[in-house]
Amino acid sequence: MNDHVADALTQSPSTVFPVAAPAKDDCNAGQSATRLSELLVGLGDAATGELAALQHGAGAAAHTDDLGSDGVEPTDASSNQDSAGDAAMVRVYENRLAMVRLGMATSLFYALRTKHAPTAAHSLRVALSCSAWCERLGLSDEERDRIEVAALLHDIGKIGIPDRILRKPGKLTVEEQMTMDCCAELGCEILRGCTDDQSLLEIVRYSGTWFESRRQDDTVRGDALPLGARMLSVAGAFDAMTTDQVYRGAMSRERALQELFRGSNTQFDPELTRDFATMLEKRPEMLHGCVVDRWLQQLQNTSHNLLGKPVGSHHANVAGAGASEEDQSPISIFDSLSGRSSSIESSIAAELLYFETLGDHLRDGVAFTNREGEILYWNDSLAQMTRIAAVASVGTHWDSDELKFATVGKNESAECPVNECLQRQIVVTRNMKLLSAQSTDEHENLDHRDKLAPSKPASELPGRDVLVHVAPVENDNGGGAVVIVRDISDRAQMQSQIQTLHKKATSDPLTGVANRAEFDQRLTHSTAKAKQQGITFSLIMCDIDHFKKVNDIHGHQAGDEALIQFASVLERHTRGSDLVARYGGEEFAFLAIGSDNATATRRAEEIREAIASTPLKGLDGESVTISMGVTEFQTGDAPETIVARADRALMQAKENGRNRVVQLGSGFVDSDEKPEPSGWLSWFTSNDSGKQQEFELATPVPTDLAVEKLRGFISDHRAEIINVHGNELSLRLNVSGGNGRRAADHRMAFNTLIRLSESRGKRGVRGASLTQTQINVTITPLRGRDRRSASFGPCVRQVINSLKSYLMAEIVQTDD
């Protein structure tokens, strides 16, 4: 699937969600009210802060695999090391999956990986998702085989796309987009050489076709599209949006689901979109066991012939009974080199590992390029500065304009410092500005008339000041350049923090990390900074699995050693202004400043694997496992709601079997609020604050999923459910935000009435039916004196913004 096309939905700056006009064939109002009433009654459990238990299939929970999805805490140190793994084992695992599903056609997957490794990894993830989805839908083995193979090779046509288009970091031109649109046909031409299965070819051909396509060339639309193609479209778009791309960072899962629902009935099949979202809500981790079991253990020689050879033959003995033995693991085609070449590669790999480890622990951004300017290495600090992950930047050409590096000062050369260094073979040091996304978006949205006006100098644009140092490097492979980017915008702030640091007053005496008081202070500061300056952050709550058993079996000294080692591993994974704190007992909090949901989840997985592979002397060489909950600051959040949502994610991780990471929250979205008037002028403009506040919201999420999101809102805000009647829900909320002289004035109590309704409308040229949820919210202050408070308006907006984030909704503009 074309990742640029999958990202097209997110580029439309729609601030108000359009409400579809009710259709004539709308569902009966009485039936809708009854169903809504049944859904809302289940919210009573949230009044005590408890969530209803998620139902899941008993068969999926019984599966076990090498990744620890059985939910049993490992007791052998070697098994923990196997679960952690390294890059080489990941490659072997990829090879095993590809060989089992493709047989002799595995070379096609290898060719795609050689051409563009991120595309091959995307295809493998989509194939695994479709395999779990087929299991949920109960499709036949023949249809499931066909969809899995098509998913693995649906992007094989990218082999014929030029690198200048495939690896382009910016937006594609119209001609380049038309070239990318040929991927499906190119893929079918390649696959015709090894299969005559027309159903498989049609899945590949129509995998990028919109459900309601407006192109005249697309004669197949809607339900006439193959089921596999419609499934690939949804799963492929979701994976593309939740993965780092060279032209944008990864979205959170909640944001990606919101975009899928926005595109339902136009780009995606609405029923499949809803079923895919339901699968993610019903703990998809429990489906992984059956997928791996099917791919690596249950494939027989009787599998269907899809790509010129029975799937599973020749490799079935590798992935079957011997899959659990280390001496019978499959051999990659890259391992068939001579012993001399293997030793050379091993030495080079060891040297690269040393430099990568060194670069990942530097505060400065570091990158390596070859003589042509192609990026070979990109460390974590540079990824944090540019918001471009290493997987999306390595292999592309260094372009200062695309990477948002702008020259500062009239005396500075406008030439790219990397190009100047490579061409002249000299050391180049230059003061530059790394522009923020806000400034670049404003520049791209200028019309032709605005572009004729003189542009602002780079020094006046929002961003951070950096010092770029580029030096040439000579070696036997042709050399290149090393790029060092140093952030010089916060030197004064860093020096002030160092001078005012009080280690004893802010640290935990056992582990040496920050204590609870320091964490609360930093969380409050980070929340205020995110609201004022738009600097996002994520919170990771960590807890040691079965810690009571560690104390009971090995003693409290062994438990203390586990806590100290756990804190040490967490601190080794910090960067910049991150904070590690002991929240209480065996629970730790990791404040990841500048990390969004996707980045924090990836870092949490690295921490989890590091803990599982760290043996402890007090446990006789065994190690412990941890469960982690991840969430990002989102619009309308307060420090209490962030902690509550992260705790809820942590509890889901424990309920799903422990030793895993669960992500919740839609992520940070800039709000378009207008600043409140201050001073004596606010006295004249505060008359409307005493009125009853009523808002209309709309979300593309179906009603049953909207109720589940509302359940999380009630739990995280510790709201009290007053009454549930029909489709109406009455809540009592306490919101922090007052600024009175007394402590009681710092919190406001609201009576909140929420009415849910489900409507159907028409969308698209064919007038396809669209289901959406409308939410009417009425907020009334509980105390009369709060009506006249200047903080009443901001507190109301905080509640509405939080509802928008949880329900993935937008405010509907109504005509007065």
Side-chain angles (χ1 to χ4, degrees):
M1 179 179 181
N2 185 357
D3 295 341
H4 292 270
V5 175
D7 197 52
L9 287 173
T10 63
Q11 298 175 359
S12 58
S14 177
T15 57
V16 179
F17 186 81
V19 178
K24 295 181 180 180
D25 58 346
D26 199 352
C27 57
N28 183 271
Q31 296 177 355
S32 177
T34 301
R35 188 164 69 90
L36 287 173
S37 178
E38 294 174 353
L39 291 171
L40 289 172
V41 167
L43 292 176
D45 296 336
T48 59
E50 300 177 356
L51 294 176
L54 295 175
Q55 301 295 327
H56 61 278
H63 289 292
T64 61
D65 53 50
D66 296 337
L67 301 179
S69 62
D70 54 356
V72 179
E73 183 181 8
T75 58
D76 185 79
S78 61
S79 64
N80 291 327
Q81 294 175 358
D82 291 339
S83 66
D86 53 15
M89 290 305 298
V90 171
R91 178 58 60 87
V92 171
Y93 185 68
E94 273 190 19
N95 295 340
R96 183 189 304 178
L97 291 177
M99 286 189 290
V100 168
R101 301 309 293 125
L102 302 181
M104 292 299 294
T106 309
S107 56
L108 293 177
F109 182 79
Y110 288 173
L112 177 61
R113 189 170 63 189
T114 303
K115 172 72 174 181
H116 195 230
T119 298
H122 161 77
S123 300
L124 183 60
R125 291 191 301 269
V126 173
L128 290 172
S129 298
C130 288
S131 180
W133 200 358
C134 291
E135 174 76 12
R136 169 183 169 82
L137 296 177
L139 301 183
S140 63
D141 290 342
E142 180 180 0
E143 185 68 13
R144 188 175 179 183
D145 285 337
R146 184 172 290 110
I147 293 175
E148 290 171 352
V149 173
L152 272 173
L153 299 177
H154 74 282
D155 274 339
I156 194 67
K158 288 188 177 180
I159 293 179
I161 302 299
D163 285 344
R164 62 178 178 83
I165 299 178
L166 194 60
R167 299 178 182 272
K168 183 177 180 180
K171 295 182 180 180
L172 300 180
T173 63
V174 177
E175 293 77 9
E176 292 170 343
Q177 185 61 59
M178 293 178 63
T179 303
M180 291 294 297
D181 291 342
C182 298
C183 286
E185 289 298 332
L186 289 175
C188 290
E189 290 296 327
I190 295 174
L191 293 178
R192 285 193 186 98
C194 56
T195 183
D196 56 358
D197 191 326
Q198 294 301 319
S199 298
L200 187 147
L201 293 176
E202 287 183 358
I203 294 177
V204 175
R205 177 182 293 110
Y206 297 118
S207 61
T209 303
W210 283 32
F211 183 75
E212 187 182 338
S213 177
R214 298 182 180 181
R215 296 182 179 180
Q216 297 180 354
D217 297 338
D218 295 334
T219 57
V220 181
R221 300 181 178 89
D223 295 334
L225 290 169
L227 174 63
R230 286 177 279 155
M231 293 174 64
L232 276 179
S233 178
V234 175
F238 179 80
D239 182 80
M241 288 186 288
T242 54
T243 307
D244 285 313
Q245 306 293 340
V246 69
Y247 50 89
R248 60 145 177 82
M251 296 182 184
S252 65
R253 293 182 180 181
E254 299 283 348
R255 291 276 302 282
L257 283 177
Q258 181 182 10
E259 297 302 330
L260 287 181
F261 280 115
R262 287 183 183 277
S264 63
N265 244 342
T266 54
Q267 184 174 355
F268 311 112
D269 186 323
E271 295 298 329
L272 288 179
T273 302
R274 180 170 183 168
D275 190 77
F276 183 79
T278 303
M279 181 181 70
L280 293 181
E281 290 290 331
K282 299 297 183 181
R283 296 190 298 179
E285 297 86 354
M286 306 308 296
L287 295 176
H288 290 177
C290 64
V291 173
V292 175
D293 180 65
R294 166 181 167 79
W295 280 44
L296 298 183
Q297 296 178 14
Q298 294 183 347
L299 292 173
Q300 304 295 332
N301 294 334
T302 58
S303 298
H304 303 281
N305 192 331
L306 296 177
L307 292 178
K309 181 175 182 178
V311 176
S313 62
H314 180 71
H315 295 287
N317 59 341
V318 173
S324 61
E325 300 179 10
E326 296 179 357
D327 55 350
Q328 297 185 13
S329 60
I331 300 176
S332 169
I333 59 173
F334 302 105
D335 298 332
S336 61
L337 302 174
S338 63
R340 182 177 61 86
S341 299
S342 299
S343 62
I344 295 176
E345 291 180 353
S346 299
S347 62
I348 294 176
E351 184 179 356
L352 289 177
L353 180 61
Y354 169 79
F355 286 108
E356 289 179 0
T357 305
L358 178 63
D360 289 341
H361 286 78
L362 293 177
R363 282 184 54 88
D364 296 337
V366 179
F368 298 153
T369 71
N370 59 14
R371 290 296 297 270
E372 286 73 30
E374 180 182 355
I375 300 174
L376 306 177
Y377 171 73
W378 189 274
N379 75 337
D380 290 342
S381 297
L382 193 54
Q384 182 184 8
M385 291 181 187
T386 61
R387 300 294 179 89
I388 300 176
V391 295
S393 58
V394 172
T396 62
H397 191 274
W398 182 286
D399 190 328
S400 295
D401 294 335
E402 294 291 347
L403 296 175
K404 315 307 179 188
F405 284 95
T407 302
V408 178
K410 298 180 179 180
N411 298 329
E412 297 285 356
S413 173
E415 185 180 0
C416 175
V418 176
N419 292 339
E420 182 179 356
C421 173
L422 293 175
Q423 292 175 3
R424 302 177 59 185
Q425 289 296 297
I426 60 173
V427 177
V428 178
T429 302
R430 189 172 300 170
N431 289 321
M432 306 187 76
K433 171 156 286 193
L434 183 57
L435 303 180
S436 63
Q438 177 183 358
S439 60
T440 54
D441 291 343
E442 292 176 355
H443 178 72
E444 292 176 356
N445 293 332
L446 289 176
D447 57 17
H448 179 70
R449 181 178 58 186
D450 292 335
K451 290 183 179 179
L452 295 178
S455 58
K456 295 182 180 179
S459 58
E460 298 181 7
L461 295 176
R464 63 175 71 187
D465 295 323
V466 294
L467 180 65
V468 179
H469 183 86
V470 189
V473 177
E474 293 291 342
N475 57 24
D476 297 337
N477 297 324
V482 56
V483 184
I484 301 176
V485 181
R486 174 167 298 176
D487 188 353
I488 58 176
S489 59
D490 57 350
R491 287 182 176 178
Q493 180 182 1
M494 289 177 57
Q495 292 175 358
S496 175
Q497 291 178 351
I498 293 175
Q499 293 174 359
T500 58
L501 182 63
H502 302 286
K503 185 66 176 178
K504 292 183 179 181
T506 59
S507 62
D508 176 63
L510 175 63
T511 60
V513 299
N515 56 18
R516 175 71 178 273
E518 176 67 9
F519 168 76
D520 291 341
Q521 189 272 334
R522 284 288 301 276
L523 179 62
T524 302
H525 175 74
S526 299
T527 304
K529 197 171 184 180
K531 292 179 179 179
Q532 298 171 3
Q533 304 179 18
I535 302 177
T536 188
F537 67 93
S538 293
L539 176 62
I540 306 174
M541 300 299 293
C542 324
D543 188 86
I544 299 179
D545 297 331
H546 302 296
F547 185 70
K548 186 177 183 300
K549 292 183 179 180
V550 174
N551 286 329
D552 293 343
I553 297 175
H554 300 278
H556 289 280
Q557 290 184 348
D560 290 345
E561 180 190 354
L563 293 175
I564 295 173
Q565 189 68 26
F566 184 19
S568 177
V569 173
L570 288 175
E571 283 198 309
R572 288 202 300 268
H573 284 78
T574 59
R575 63 191 187 193
S577 302
D578 293 347
L579 178 72
V580 176
R582 187 179 179 185
Y583 195 75
E586 71 276 14
E587 189 173 2
F588 287 77
F590 190 108
L591 205 57
I593 307 299
S595 295
D596 56 11
N597 249 336
T599 304
T601 302
R602 183 171 60 250
R603 296 176 65 184
E605 287 287 356
E606 295 173 356
I607 295 173
R608 183 189 63 82
E609 294 175 358
I611 292 293
S613 61
T614 302
L616 300 175
K617 294 181 180 180
L619 303 184
D620 299 329
E622 298 179 2
S623 58
V624 296
T625 61
I626 60 173
S627 300
M628 310 182 80
V630 180
T631 190
E632 180 188 356
F633 169 84
Q634 60 189 29
T635 307
D637 261 339
E640 298 83 6
T641 59
I642 301 172
V643 174
R645 190 166 59 249
D647 266 334
R648 186 157 53 92
L650 176 60
M651 293 304 298
Q652 289 189 15
K654 287 184 174 294
E655 293 174 359
N656 291 356
R658 293 185 171 87
N659 192 23
R660 63 183 70 252
V661 177
V662 171
Q663 174 197 126
L664 287 181
S666 59
F668 176 63
V669 178
D670 290 325
S671 62
D672 52 355
E673 298 181 9
K674 295 181 180 180
E676 283 292 304
S678 59
W680 62 271
L681 184 62
S682 61
W683 185 82
F684 292 99
T685 60
S686 61
N687 294 330
D688 293 338
S689 64
K691 297 182 180 179
Q692 182 174 268
Q693 301 293 314
E694 186 172 356
F695 300 87
E696 290 287 340
L697 305 179
T699 175
V701 175
T703 307
D704 52 353
L705 290 180
V707 171
E708 289 299 321
K709 303 299 182 186
L710 187 59
R711 190 190 305 275
F713 171 85
I714 295 173
S715 175
D716 296 344
H717 288 75
R718 302 184 185 277
E720 179 184 357
I721 296 181
I722 304 302
N723 185 30
V724 176
H725 178 70
N727 65 337
E728 294 185 354
L729 175 66
S730 179
L731 302 174
R732 180 170 297 169
L733 285 173
N734 291 318
V735 182
S736 300
N739 54 5
R741 291 176 296 177
R742 298 180 299 177
D745 296 333
H746 294 174
R747 297 182 66 86
M748 290 189 178
F750 294 143
N751 282 330
T752 305
L753 180 63
I754 300 176
R755 302 182 185 90
L756 297 180
S757 61
E758 190 173 72
S759 64
R760 290 184 178 272
K762 302 293 184 180
R763 174 190 282 185
V765 294
R766 295 192 299 120
S769 178
L770 168 68
T771 301
Q772 69 178 12
T773 303
Q774 293 178 284
I775 307 104
N776 177 270
V777 183
T778 303
I779 301 177
T780 307
L782 191 62
R783 299 179 301 189
R785 57 194 174 108
D786 288 340
R787 300 174 184 270
R788 299 179 296 274
S789 174
S791 302
F792 176 72
C795 288
V796 170
R797 279 196 299 274
Q798 180 178 336
V799 174
I800 294 300
N801 286 333
S802 186
L803 277 171
K804 287 169 54 181
S805 298
Y806 275 85
L807 300 178
M808 298 183 286
E810 296 292 344
I811 295 181
V812 178
Q813 292 180 349
T814 56
D815 297 332
D816 296 335

